[in-house]
Amino acid sequence: MRPGRLEAFTDGVVAIIITIMVLELKVPHGGDLIDLRGSVPLLLAYLFAFINVGLYWNNHHHLLHITERVDGRVLWANLFLLFWLSLVPFVIRWLDESAFSPGATACYGIVLGMSAIGYTLTERAIIACNGRDSRVARAIGRDWKGWGSIALYLAAIPLAYVSRWAAIALYFAVIALWLVPDRRFARAAER
Amino acid sequence: MRPGRLEAFTDGVVAIIITIMVLELKVPHGGDLIDLRGSVPLLLAYLFAFINVGLYWNNHHHLLHITERVDGRVLWANLFLLFWLSLVPFVIRWLDESAFSPGATACYGIVLGMSAIGYTLTERAIIACNGRDSRVARAIGRDWKGWGSIALYLAAIPLAYVSRWAAIALYFAVIALWLVPDRRFARAAER
Amino acid sequence: MRPGRLEAFTDGVVAIIITIMVLELKVPHGGDLIDLRGSVPLLLAYLFAFINVGLYWNNHHHLLHITERVDGRVLWANLFLLFWLSLVPFVIRWLDESAFSPGATACYGIVLGMSAIGYTLTERAIIACNGRDSRVARAIGRDWKGWGSIALYLAAIPLAYVSRWAAIALYFAVIALWLVPDRRFARAAER
Amino acid sequence: MRPGRLEAFTDGVVAIIITIMVLELKVPHGGDLIDLRGSVPLLLAYLFAFINVGLYWNNHHHLLHITERVDGRVLWANLFLLFWLSLVPFVIRWLDESAFSPGATACYGIVLGMSAIGYTLTERAIIACNGRDSRVARAIGRDWKGWGSIALYLAAIPLAYVSRWAAIALYFAVIALWLVPDRRFARAAER
């Protein structure tokens, strides 16, 4: 089975997740730019989630680009990933309505951590389907970035109850980890 | 007519159905993870519906993958399927607001049963368009799974008024029926 | 310019229009199937709009299928069509909240009439771009169905103030006009 | 990396942005066409935003059409553009709820100005990836229209506090600038 339709479906779901979050943003009560002040935390949370979901899309793009085959297991691992990503707008809304409470901050880590597990499951399923010697399997390699992200999210969940800022710092760390250009897939595509 | 654009449109509609359900989820009132407790039934209903709609997408993917031609009748049978699938978020909301009432539980069976009929109509239209000896017609075969699903949904509708749990058990049975890997289409694609 | 991306964008917009209407449907207050009674008019209006928008998608599919080239004018005529189609969920909501008032019934005719004009403009732009002797131009022909639809919508707008049922009957007439299989494009594709 | 999937993802996000704005439109309280009067300003703002977002999609279509390669930097510049475009429905809602206040009018300029910067960043990234002598780089040329748009949006932001109509006139000027057919890309595609 070709990965084409999997890409198209994933693009659709991610495009909707990323865009409907804006429906949750409340507009300021006043009519002045300064009234946006009250919306700044939520706008930042939206920006943050946009980058997080954008990173998943970006990585998914690179991963599927060198994948030759997908099977039923890949489809379901991918749906698992999309299910958890689809909960991001829900957490953003909770963060807003509970004024960045520890519970909602921890929940952000749970949702993104489960998404990271979904991403890793998708990678494993792709390797199982394409073979350990396939180009995509060699490009994924030991995937310390994937496992590292899961570990950081796991650490952030209890940490949110100690200090929300420490948990948010860990979420930033994961973003930084992935924003650093990753040459694995580009090298694999060149070969 | 090639099935490409039918796939793309179906992907779009299914991606939206699956994702807008999250707009219906109400966030907890408190700011603690334990406050998610009250959201658990609806989150489970969302997960359940996600799997159900995901199964349709998955099967649709396999079905169209070995379909060579589509015609106007296929397009309309497919729109019939999408119409009923699009009502899933409506039923999920009703399940929530009526605290899993018998009526809403029965309605879930009606909506998914009509979707199952729409899926069977799409299969019949594809067979009519590609011929009884086509690869896709032979792969569909007697389709006892499709007819069995319709029968189970039909049985669940009155059952919801006797016991909601019995109806939900039947909905689980249909999911189990379809989660079992189906080799029909993979075999047909290999040939 | 190839029509591929125009198709993809149109599919996306139509898929969203058709699906977000379900967000407008209000769930029954009770927990019994009989409580759906109050939702029946709106569910029928949703079904009606679903068929109307589905017809546009279906015709668009056939039209673009035999179109070889598109240019900037085609893109803008198509955006004009999508703009008016995107107002369908707005009118459905108004129909609901004003209990199928004459104004909202007339507005349905305005929105669908402008969509029909947008569709005709898209056809004209495609003919201008592909030439009067192109396969697509010959398939469109004199397009009495397109002009007839516009005339029926135009008649329905004032009629809604005399009798809403008469206006709705005209909306049904347009649907019937288009549901009759249209062999123009199939014949053109076979040649 | 081929630009195909970037196009598909952008189409998805733009299709959703353009369509969910309709969820923000409030229906009239009365049941007469004349009751639409109160909705006219917002309907015009919606039309205006539809044209603005449509212009971005149209230009994006032409730009990507002659782009041969994209890389990670292009993906992120494009996500930057999509982030700001996704805030358009937010500003439209604010314009409505604050009765076209100076702050919301200025905010429209900020959001579209940042989108214009995102578009220019995408162009720069595409030139960096395809080379200064590539067909797409020569077609973009000095891009005075891109820079001119940014300048006009920048001027409109403070102007909104002096006169909202003057700011809106500048927004119209940008639209007029882009509606004038642009032969750069058509010429490049012909060569």
Side-chain angles (χ1 to χ4, degrees):
Chain A
M1 220 184 295
R2 306 141 301 153
R5 198 173 169 190
L6 183 65
E7 289 182 324
F9 183 68
T10 304
D11 285 0
V13 174
V14 171
I16 300 157
I17 292 170
I18 237 172
T19 324
I20 61 172
M21 272 191 281
V22 92
L23 291 175
E24 323 278 13
L25 299 177
K26 282 187 212 76
V27 299
H29 288 295
D32 204 336
L33 278 176
I34 201 73
D35 297 315
L36 276 172
R37 215 175 20 186
S39 309
V40 163
L42 197 61
L43 281 169
L44 285 178
Y46 171 51
L47 171 63
F48 202 72
F50 196 98
I51 293 173
N52 261 323
V53 178
L55 272 170
Y56 273 106
W57 179 74
N58 211 328
N59 293 327
H60 197 270
H61 182 120
H62 286 90
L63 178 66
L64 268 286
H65 183 55
I66 57 168
T67 297
E68 268 145 44
R69 263 183 308 181
V70 299
D71 58 9
R73 189 179 147 196
V74 175
L75 297 190
W76 281 106
N78 197 65
L79 272 176
F80 182 91
L81 163 63
L82 293 179
F83 174 75
W84 288 100
L85 278 184
S86 80
L87 290 173
V88 168
F90 170 79
V91 186
I92 293 294
R93 215 184 327 146
W94 191 19
L95 277 168
D96 178 36
E97 295 192 6
S98 68
F100 291 78
S101 65
T105 310
C107 192
Y108 193 79
I110 294 173
V111 164
L112 281 193
M114 294 304 286
S115 303
I117 289 172
Y119 191 78
T120 299
L121 288 175
T122 306
E123 284 182 336
R124 294 300 119 192
I126 284 175
I127 293 177
C129 172
N130 289 267
R132 300 211 138 267
D133 290 324
S134 61
R135 201 164 60 142
V136 62
R138 286 202 307 268
I140 295 170
R142 307 205 25 201
D143 194 29
W144 61 269
K145 266 165 89 167
W147 294 104
S149 307
I150 297 172
L152 285 171
Y153 284 128
L154 219 70
I157 297 166
L159 202 59
Y161 279 90
V162 183
S163 155
R164 288 169 296 170
W165 294 109
I168 291 170
L170 286 191
Y171 301 152
F172 263 111
V174 178
I175 287 183
L177 203 64
W178 286 97
L179 275 181
V180 173
D182 193 334
R183 306 291 310 156
R184 284 183 293 169
F185 294 95
R187 271 198 306 260
E190 276 159 22
R191 258 181 247 137
Chain B
M1 221 185 295
R2 305 140 303 153
R5 198 172 168 191
L6 183 66
E7 290 182 324
F9 184 67
T10 305
D11 285 0
V13 173
V14 171
I16 299 157
I17 292 170
I18 236 172
T19 324
I20 61 172
M21 272 191 281
V22 92
L23 291 175
E24 323 278 13
L25 300 176
K26 282 189 212 74
V27 299
H29 287 296
D32 205 336
L33 278 177
I34 200 74
D35 297 315
L36 277 172
R37 214 176 20 185
S39 309
V40 163
L42 197 61
L43 281 169
L44 285 179
Y46 172 52
L47 171 62
F48 201 72
F50 196 98
I51 293 173
N52 260 324
V53 178
L55 271 170
Y56 273 106
W57 179 75
N58 212 327
N59 293 328
H60 197 271
H61 182 120
H62 285 91
L63 177 65
L64 268 287
H65 183 55
I66 59 167
T67 296
E68 267 145 45
R69 264 183 307 180
V70 299
D71 58 9
R73 189 179 146 196
V74 176
L75 296 190
W76 281 105
N78 197 66
L79 272 175
F80 182 91
L81 163 63
L82 294 179
F83 174 75
W84 288 99
L85 278 184
S86 80
L87 289 173
V88 169
F90 170 79
V91 186
I92 294 293
R93 214 183 328 144
W94 191 19
L95 277 169
D96 179 36
E97 295 193 7
S98 68
F100 290 77
S101 65
T105 310
C107 193
Y108 193 78
I110 293 173
V111 164
L112 281 193
M114 293 304 286
S115 304
I117 289 172
Y119 191 78
T120 299
L121 288 175
T122 306
E123 285 181 337
R124 292 301 117 190
I126 284 175
I127 292 177
C129 173
N130 289 266
R132 300 211 139 268
D133 289 325
S134 62
R135 201 164 60 143
V136 62
R138 286 201 307 269
I140 294 171
R142 306 204 25 200
D143 194 29
W144 61 269
K145 267 165 90 167
W147 294 105
S149 307
I150 297 173
L152 285 171
Y153 284 127
L154 219 69
I157 297 166
L159 202 58
Y161 279 89
V162 183
S163 155
R164 288 168 296 168
W165 293 110
I168 291 171
L170 286 191
Y171 301 152
F172 263 111
V174 178
I175 287 184
L177 202 65
W178 286 97
L179 275 181
V180 174
D182 192 335
R183 306 291 309 156
R184 284 181 293 167
F185 294 96
R187 270 197 307 260
E190 276 158 22
R191 259 181 248 137
Chain C
M1 219 186 295
R2 305 142 301 153
R5 198 172 169 191
L6 183 66
E7 290 182 324
F9 184 67
T10 304
D11 286 359
V13 173
V14 171
I16 299 157
I17 292 170
I18 235 171
T19 324
I20 61 172
M21 272 191 281
V22 93
L23 291 175
E24 322 280 12
L25 300 177
K26 283 188 211 74
V27 299
H29 288 296
D32 205 336
L33 278 177
I34 200 73
D35 297 316
L36 277 172
R37 215 175 19 183
S39 309
V40 163
L42 198 61
L43 281 169
L44 285 179
Y46 172 51
L47 170 63
F48 201 73
F50 196 97
I51 292 173
N52 260 323
V53 178
L55 271 171
Y56 273 106
W57 178 74
N58 212 326
N59 293 327
H60 197 271
H61 182 119
H62 286 91
L63 177 65
L64 268 286
H65 183 55
I66 58 167
T67 297
E68 267 144 46
R69 263 181 310 181
V70 299
D71 58 9
R73 189 178 145 197
V74 176
L75 297 189
W76 281 105
N78 197 66
L79 273 175
F80 182 91
L81 163 63
L82 294 179
F83 174 76
W84 287 100
L85 278 184
S86 80
L87 289 174
V88 169
F90 170 79
V91 186
I92 293 294
R93 216 186 322 146
W94 191 19
L95 277 168
D96 179 36
E97 296 193 6
S98 69
F100 291 77
S101 65
T105 309
C107 193
Y108 193 78
I110 294 173
V111 164
L112 281 193
M114 294 304 286
S115 303
I117 290 172
Y119 191 77
T120 299
L121 289 174
T122 306
E123 285 182 336
R124 294 300 117 190
I126 284 175
I127 292 177
C129 173
N130 290 267
R132 299 210 138 267
D133 289 324
S134 62
R135 200 164 59 144
V136 62
R138 285 202 307 267
I140 294 170
R142 305 199 33 196
D143 195 29
W144 62 269
K145 267 164 90 167
W147 294 104
S149 307
I150 297 173
L152 286 171
Y153 285 128
L154 219 69
I157 297 167
L159 202 58
Y161 279 90
V162 183
S163 156
R164 287 169 296 169
W165 294 110
I168 290 170
L170 286 191
Y171 301 153
F172 262 112
V174 178
I175 287 184
L177 203 64
W178 287 97
L179 275 181
V180 173
D182 193 335
R183 307 289 311 155
R184 285 182 293 168
F185 294 96
R187 271 197 306 260
E190 275 158 24
R191 259 181 247 138
Chain D
M1 221 185 294
R2 305 142 301 152
R5 197 172 170 192
L6 183 65
E7 289 182 324
F9 183 67
T10 304
D11 285 359
V13 173
V14 171
I16 299 156
I17 292 170
I18 237 172
T19 324
I20 61 172
M21 271 191 282
V22 93
L23 291 175
E24 322 279 12
L25 299 177
K26 284 189 210 75
V27 299
H29 288 297
D32 204 335
L33 277 178
I34 200 75
D35 297 316
L36 277 172
R37 216 174 21 185
S39 308
V40 164
L42 197 61
L43 282 169
L44 285 179
Y46 172 51
L47 170 63
F48 201 73
F50 196 97
I51 293 173
N52 260 323
V53 177
L55 272 172
Y56 273 106
W57 179 74
N58 211 327
N59 293 327
H60 197 271
H61 182 120
H62 286 90
L63 177 66
L64 268 287
H65 183 55
I66 58 167
T67 296
E68 267 145 45
R69 263 181 310 181
V70 298
D71 58 8
R73 189 178 145 196
V74 176
L75 297 189
W76 282 106
N78 197 66
L79 272 176
F80 183 90
L81 164 63
L82 293 179
F83 174 75
W84 287 100
L85 277 184
S86 80
L87 290 173
V88 169
F90 170 78
V91 186
I92 293 294
R93 214 184 329 147
W94 192 17
L95 276 169
D96 178 36
E97 296 192 6
S98 69
F100 291 78
S101 65
T105 310
C107 193
Y108 193 78
I110 294 173
V111 164
L112 281 193
M114 293 304 286
S115 303
I117 290 172
Y119 191 78
T120 299
L121 289 174
T122 306
E123 284 182 337
R124 294 301 118 192
I126 283 175
I127 293 177
C129 173
N130 289 267
R132 300 209 139 267
D133 289 324
S134 62
R135 201 165 59 143
V136 62
R138 285 202 308 268
I140 295 170
R142 306 201 29 198
D143 194 28
W144 62 269
K145 267 164 91 168
W147 293 105
S149 307
I150 297 173
L152 285 171
Y153 285 128
L154 219 70
I157 298 166
L159 202 59
Y161 279 91
V162 183
S163 155
R164 287 169 295 170
W165 294 109
I168 290 170
L170 286 190
Y171 301 153
F172 263 112
V174 178
I175 287 183
L177 202 64
W178 286 97
L179 275 181
V180 173
D182 193 335
R183 307 291 310 158
R184 284 183 293 169
F185 294 96
R187 270 198 306 260
E190 276 159 24
R191 259 181 247 136

